[in-house]
Amino acid sequence: MYVSDLSLDDFRSYRSLVLSLEPGPSAFVGSNGQGKTNLVEAIVYLATLSSHRIGADTALVRRAAPGQAQPAGAVVRARAVHGERPSVLEIEIIAGKANRARLNRGGCRPRDLLGVLRAVVFAPEDLSLVRAEPGVRRGFLDDLVVTLRPGLAGVRAEHDKILAQRASLLKSARAARSSTSSMLSTLEVWDAQLAAAAARLIAARVDVVRRLRPWVASAYETVSGTSGQRSRAQIAYRSSLLTHEGHPEPDPHDESAWLAGEETLLDEAALAARLESAMGELHAREIDRGANLVGAHRDDLSLFLTGLPARGFASHGEQWSLALALRLASYDMLRTDIDAYGGDGEPVLILDDVFASLDEQRRRALAQMVAGPKATVSNASVSGKDVQIGTVKGLPGDGNAITEGVALSTGSLIDPDSTADSDTDITRSAVLGPNDALDTTGDFGVVEDPAGLAKVAGTDVYDEAVLEFDVTATSSTIVLYYSLGSEEYAGATEGTPASWQSRGYKDPLSIQVNGTECAHVPGTQTAVSAASINESSNAAYYTANVSGHTPGQIPVEFNGYTSALPCQASVTPGQKVHVRVAIADAQDGQLDSTVLLRTQGLGFTDKPITDPCNAKAGTCDIPGNSNSNGSNGAKNGKDSATPPGQGKPGVTDYSAASPTASPKKTVAGLPLTGTQALFLGGIALLLLAGGGVALMLRRRRLTGSEAG
């Protein structure tokens, strides 16, 4: 997601402004007082319906110069681009009156804008997240809750209304110095209403905190540039209800205790009953003080660094880094936690004067974190039959498998085409199972060899498919995760090369970076193929889907496949890198092979991969690459943002791999025309690099096998 256009009328210091923005990072540079933060504030207001700088909207309306008429209000407009669905948001901020809003040129309630533009902003004011009173941290959690679940905005507003009305009743009882039965009955009614609203709000907050926790720890470690106890950041939900019930305060040295307490706050119905009971027990004290003493409005977010409260013990720089980590963690959670919240896009990340209180080490770490993984893909092209390239999602497999990404195959990615030419033998999909036969194939009879794979194979090649693109390097090492799946693993017996291989069916795979081959068995210079990775050679990187001459149980056409392997090569930051991925049938067009390129598996790093995706390593992440979901895997446990199929390798329990309900749905966007194939190549690259990559696709006319 990004903002392509921003328009302001009478907003802050701007009489009128129209600004166009491009995908990718944008920087506003200028002297102090020029209005840079005002631009940020306008975007934030559209996303949250509130300013991150002030509480009242009146100051947002431009103050007219002496002798000029004072504007009645300010107007903020923006176009938010999310995939192929741009949305135009507009809000009119009217001094002393209710605001008016429009969405895609149609009138709507201001609340309806929430969730359309998702943004995370860090500003100097965020230091208050650590230093200020609990209300600031509650606001942080509530804003995040509403961003994730816009429907809870109404619950939040209703809770605040009920809270104020109940407080007014308590003050009236205090002033009367007595509590009548009628007053107590009325108070009980308000108890039930407040408990129900507070329970929903607390449960949502706790859910956010539990999901946010690993991201905060990871972000602070990255920003601080240190590891271990010295950089340990912890967050805990501090509940007034738990305190009332006798639970101890969160202890940074006993994390399991507060986690257990948080767990009890997730059941809304039970929580509402507990809150109502606690309110009843506190009636006398509440009337005596004229205030609500238990509930969501009395809770807090506890922040710890190195086992100590951050508010009282951390330095200014550490507090600044922790506040920044809270915002960066929010961004990562919004970007990745799709299963929990139904999110489907990367939010806009805004950093305002972020370097002000960071030392040089932390500035470098932050710059690498924000800008390092980003890449720009350009000049994409594909060759081969249209049906040989496509995007795949939901492929079954064990923990080794790449189940989502881009597929490039020697056969057809779709089901058999009954209308195919007589010289085209397509008996079934080269990818989709069930794997109930060993000799099925797709043969296009194409002998062209634009990638020069015949030299690699040492024989004629057929059905060649090639994907090429340029990408701008942002660090010293490029990494591209891929996996080889093939029918050529058929016929293998324990300790004996596959029978198909012995007959010369050795499909060549090539991945080149600037003309240098990098598809090697990890730690060697041996080319990856069915002959070099199988049950008897480099078995740590192999999953069999065949037993002797019997098809395997995993419902994909591959008779075996490799783990997710890294192609990595040294590159020069700031320069374009040319990547070419190619695969072909060797000797004839039989027995298809497919190379799978992992979603979000393209990135750059200064830390080369040394132990990739095998039984000893639990993740397939690119170090320092937030586009590949950064710190995940075992660190995040059940809340891991690891993409499907990127779990711990070495799993061989095929019974856990359930067949896909509808195989046709696991391959997206096929069949294709020649022009569409090129477009799909662009989509494929976007999937490879994730939301942080700007795509610039140069169309060109397809010729030869490309147009066939």
Side-chain angles (χ1 to χ4, degrees):
M1 177 179 290
Y2 70 97
V3 176
S4 65
D5 300 274
L6 177 66
S7 171
L8 306 178
D9 292 311
D10 294 318
F11 182 86
R12 286 288 197 178
S13 59
Y14 294 99
R15 179 189 297 272
S16 180
L17 172 76
V18 177
L19 181 66
S20 295
L21 301 169
E22 298 292 333
S26 298
F28 299 137
V29 181
S31 303
N32 292 342
Q34 296 301 301
K36 303 184 296 298
T37 299
N38 294 343
L39 299 177
V40 169
E41 187 178 23
I43 296 173
V44 173
Y45 196 94
L46 279 175
T48 64
L49 300 183
S50 63
S51 168
H52 67 290
R53 302 164 68 189
I54 57 169
D57 289 351
T58 304
L60 301 179
V61 180
R62 181 179 62 86
R63 185 176 295 273
Q68 296 181 352
Q70 177 63 30
V75 179
V76 181
R77 304 180 185 86
R79 177 180 285 108
V81 180
H82 183 192
E84 300 297 323
R85 306 190 304 272
S87 299
V88 179
L89 300 86
E90 180 178 336
I91 191 155
E92 185 179 2
I93 305 168
I94 307 173
K97 297 182 180 180
N99 295 342
R100 294 195 291 260
R102 296 206 303 172
L103 180 60
N104 294 325
R105 310 302 183 186
C108 66
R109 299 173 302 173
R111 187 190 306 175
D112 295 335
L113 299 182
L114 293 172
V116 179
L117 170 61
R118 301 197 303 173
V120 174
V121 60
F122 174 83
E125 292 82 2
D126 283 331
L127 191 59
S128 62
L129 290 173
V130 182
R131 291 183 172 181
E133 299 304 311
V136 176
R137 290 179 287 278
R138 289 195 298 269
F140 162 74
L141 290 178
D142 290 343
D143 289 344
L144 192 53
V145 163
V146 172
T147 300
L148 291 164
R149 301 176 181 176
L152 289 177
V155 175
R156 181 183 183 182
E158 184 69 15
H159 170 268
D160 293 345
K161 181 179 178 181
I162 295 171
L163 188 69
Q165 291 173 327
R166 188 175 184 274
S168 178
L169 179 63
L170 291 171
K171 291 176 181 178
S172 298
R174 180 187 181 186
R177 298 184 181 274
S178 65
S179 54
T180 64
S181 58
S182 175
M183 184 174 291
L184 289 176
S185 298
T186 305
L187 187 58
E188 290 174 354
V189 173
W190 286 113
D191 289 351
Q193 294 188 41
L194 181 60
R200 293 192 63 186
L201 197 58
I202 292 172
R205 287 178 184 173
V206 172
D207 186 46
V208 165
V209 170
R210 291 166 68 84
R211 297 184 180 279
L212 196 64
R213 182 173 289 118
W215 295 112
V216 172
S218 176
Y220 185 81
E221 182 175 324
T222 301
V223 171
S224 66
T226 59
S227 60
Q229 182 64 30
R230 184 184 169 195
S231 65
R232 190 182 185 200
Q234 298 166 285
I235 63 173
Y237 191 80
R238 183 178 178 182
S239 168
S240 59
L241 175 64
L242 293 179
T243 301
H244 172 76
E245 293 176 340
H247 293 265
E249 297 287 333
D251 182 354
H253 304 289
D254 188 8
E255 198 169 9
S256 60
W258 89 54
L259 291 177
E262 288 178 356
E263 188 75 31
T264 68
L265 302 176
L266 294 173
D267 187 334
E268 291 183 13
L271 180 58
R274 291 163 61 191
L275 283 168
E276 188 173 358
S277 175
M279 292 174 191
E281 296 170 3
L282 291 170
H283 276 173
R285 289 176 56 190
E286 288 185 323
I287 292 174
D288 184 59
R289 296 179 59 178
N292 301 292
L293 297 182
V294 67
H297 66 291
R298 304 278 293 192
D299 295 350
D300 195 4
L301 179 67
S302 296
L303 307 175
F304 303 102
L305 283 179
T306 64
L308 296 171
R311 183 179 180 186
F313 292 89
S315 69
H316 176 80
E318 287 175 323
Q319 292 179 345
W320 186 277
S321 299
L322 182 56
L324 176 58
L326 288 171
R327 293 300 189 186
L328 294 177
S330 303
Y331 168 78
D332 278 327
M333 186 180 68
L334 287 167
R335 180 173 62 87
T336 61
D337 215 340
I338 296 174
D339 292 338
Y341 299 109
D344 55 357
E346 182 175 13
V348 177
L349 177 62
I350 302 171
L351 303 177
D352 184 15
D353 200 16
V354 68
F355 292 134
S357 297
L358 299 180
D359 56 34
E360 185 64 27
Q361 177 181 329
R362 296 180 186 226
R363 291 184 181 187
R364 287 197 302 268
L366 177 61
Q368 177 68 25
M369 183 178 184
V370 175
K374 306 295 183 181
T376 299
V377 174
S378 61
N379 300 335
S381 65
V382 295
S383 63
K385 294 287 182 176
D386 295 336
V387 294
Q388 290 180 262
I389 184 172
T391 59
V392 297
K393 185 175 182 180
L395 291 179
D398 70 350
N400 279 314
I402 291 179
T403 62
E404 180 176 339
V406 179
L408 196 67
S409 180
T410 64
S412 173
L413 296 178
I414 62 174
D415 285 338
D417 183 1
S418 59
T419 65
D421 296 338
S422 58
D423 62 345
T424 303
D425 176 20
I426 303 177
T427 56
R428 74 166 56 212
S429 168
V431 174
L432 305 176
N435 185 29
D436 57 0
L438 301 179
D439 57 353
T440 56
T441 186
D443 185 355
F444 298 100
V446 179
V447 191
E448 297 179 2
D449 183 24
L453 292 186
K455 184 177 180 181
V456 177
T459 184
D460 291 337
V461 295
Y462 299 78
D463 305 341
E464 189 173 272
V466 183
L467 170 63
E468 296 185 77
F469 58 90
D470 294 329
V471 61
T472 302
T474 58
S475 292
S476 58
T477 301
I478 186 174
V479 181
L480 173 62
Y481 275 113
Y482 70 98
S483 178
L484 172 67
S486 180
E487 293 177 328
E488 293 193 343
Y489 285 112
T493 58
E494 186 174 355
T496 303
S499 61
W500 299 118
Q501 298 174 39
S502 66
R503 293 168 56 186
Y505 296 94
K506 301 176 182 177
D507 291 354
L509 163 67
S510 174
I511 302 178
Q512 292 187 358
V513 175
N514 290 336
T516 301
E517 189 65 41
C518 66
H520 297 136
V521 178
T524 75
Q525 291 299 307
T526 303
V528 170
S529 70
S532 60
I533 297 180
N534 49 57
E535 61 185 16
S536 57
S537 300
N538 298 300
Y541 305 110
Y542 174 66
T543 296
N545 195 23
V546 63
S547 178
H549 293 277
T550 303
Q553 301 178 35
I554 301 176
V556 289
E557 191 57 37
F558 311 138
N559 295 314
Y561 50 83
T562 72
S563 307
L565 305 171
C567 157
Q568 57 184 333
S570 297
V571 294
T572 302
Q575 294 188 4
K576 281 191 176 181
V577 179
H578 185 73
V579 180
R580 189 196 71 186
V581 183
I583 193 166
D585 277 322
Q587 192 165 308
D588 66 8
Q590 303 299 300
L591 298 169
D592 294 314
S593 298
T594 301
V595 59
L596 297 171
L597 308 177
R598 176 189 168 192
T599 295
Q600 297 187 343
L602 169 68
F604 294 89
T605 180
D606 290 321
K607 302 176 182 178
I609 309 292
T610 57
D611 191 22
C613 297
N614 59 23
K616 297 180 181 179
T619 62
C620 297
D621 290 333
I622 301 171
N625 185 1
S626 63
N627 288 333
S628 59
N629 293 319
S631 302
N632 58 23
K635 185 179 288 188
N636 291 349
K638 68 178 182 178
D639 295 330
S640 171
T642 306
Q646 314 310 323
K648 200 173 186 68
V651 180
T652 56
D653 182 10
Y654 297 162
S655 63
S658 57
T660 305
S662 178
K664 288 186 178 181
K665 294 182 179 180
T666 64
V667 179
L670 301 171
L672 306 168
T673 66
T675 302
Q676 290 173 322
L678 182 58
F679 179 69
L680 181 59
I683 296 178
L685 296 177
L686 188 61
L687 286 172
L688 281 176
V693 171
L695 176 67
M696 296 187 300
L697 179 62
R698 179 177 297 172
R699 294 182 177 272
R700 62 183 177 86
R701 186 173 182 177
L702 300 177
T703 59
S705 63
E706 297 175 315

